[in-house]
């Protein structure tokens, strides 16, 4: 298992009229953590696309526990527990400034060829990056 944690300041546009983060923004928070997980592993989405691979989301799950509020600095952790094959799954934990449990979630991403838009397995170079992350301590 490998994880990466990032912090996000809840901005006004993330919230509803009550100053509470709107439920749709949690998927965006997941995306920030996921892209930063890949970046710290040495790979960006831009590089993946240059190599002809795209990763569309095929499933999203979110469990809301407590609200996050305007101007709060939240911690978003992305976790990869298993090597990707035809899909890659990320788990997420979102915690508040006071360490309260705000939300948990999961996204599953597939691999498709950028040109043909056809699904395929995770490329060998991506597996090498993920395996290196798993072995890093």
């Amino acid at each position: 298992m490998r994880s990466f944690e990032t912090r996000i300041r809840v901005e006004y546009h993330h919230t509803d009229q009550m100053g509470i983060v709107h439920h749709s923004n949690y998927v965006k928070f997941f995306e920030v953590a996921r892209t930063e997980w890949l970046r710290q592993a040495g790979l960006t989405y831009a590089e993946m696309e240059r190599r002809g691979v795209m990763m569309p989301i095929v499933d999203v799950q979110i469990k809301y526990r407590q609200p996050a509020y305007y101007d709060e600095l939240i911690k978003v952790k992305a976790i990869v527990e298993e090597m990707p094959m035809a899909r890659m799954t990320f788990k997420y934990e979102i915690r508040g400034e006071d360490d309260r449990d705000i939300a948990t979630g999961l996204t599953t991403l597939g691999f498709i060829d950028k040109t043909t838009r056809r699904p395929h397995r995770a490329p060998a170079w991506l597996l090498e990056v993920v395996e290196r992350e798993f072995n890093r301590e």
Side-chain angles (χ1 to χ4, degrees):
M1 173 181 77
R2 200 69 187 140
S3 67
F4 178 80
E5 185 175 280
T6 189
R7 295 176 188 267
I8 299 172
R9 176 74 60 187
V10 174
E11 298 173 350
Y12 190 75
H13 67 93
H14 293 137
T15 63
D16 59 19
Q17 194 171 12
M18 298 177 288
I20 294 173
V21 171
H22 189 270
H23 67 275
S24 63
N25 286 303
Y26 288 89
V27 175
K28 295 175 186 176
F29 298 156
F30 292 170
E31 183 174 10
V32 169
R34 182 174 63 251
T35 57
E36 292 304 317
W37 186 98
L38 286 166
R39 184 180 310 281
Q40 65 85 31
L43 193 60
T44 66
Y45 272 123
E47 175 62 24
M48 291 175 62
E49 290 180 8
R50 278 192 289 277
R51 292 182 181 205
V53 175
M54 299 179 86
M55 292 177 63
I57 291 180
V58 297
D59 185 43
V60 175
Q61 299 173 30
I62 304 172
K63 181 133 190 138
Y64 304 100
R65 301 195 188 304
Q66 295 184 49
Y69 299 97
Y70 170 65
D71 202 38
E72 183 173 13
L73 188 62
I74 59 174
K75 295 173 274 188
V76 185
K77 183 186 284 188
I79 305 157
V80 176
E81 294 181 336
E82 57 189 34
M83 289 293 291
M85 293 178 70
R87 297 176 177 202
M88 186 167 187
T89 300
F90 289 83
K91 292 185 177 180
Y92 307 92
E93 299 172 359
I94 300 180
R95 303 197 75 77
E97 287 179 333
D98 58 1
D99 205 39
R100 74 188 182 290
D101 185 9
I102 292 175
T104 57
L106 178 137
T107 58
T108 303
L109 294 88
F111 297 97
I112 64 170
D113 181 277
K114 182 180 176 182
T115 304
T116 66
R117 307 291 173 146
R118 304 279 306 163
H120 60 78
R121 290 195 165 290
W125 50 264
L126 175 67
L127 294 174
E128 288 173 15
V129 169
V130 175
E131 187 169 2
R132 189 173 58 238
E133 275 305 295
F134 277 28
N135 294 327
R136 203 177 101 198
E137 287 299 331

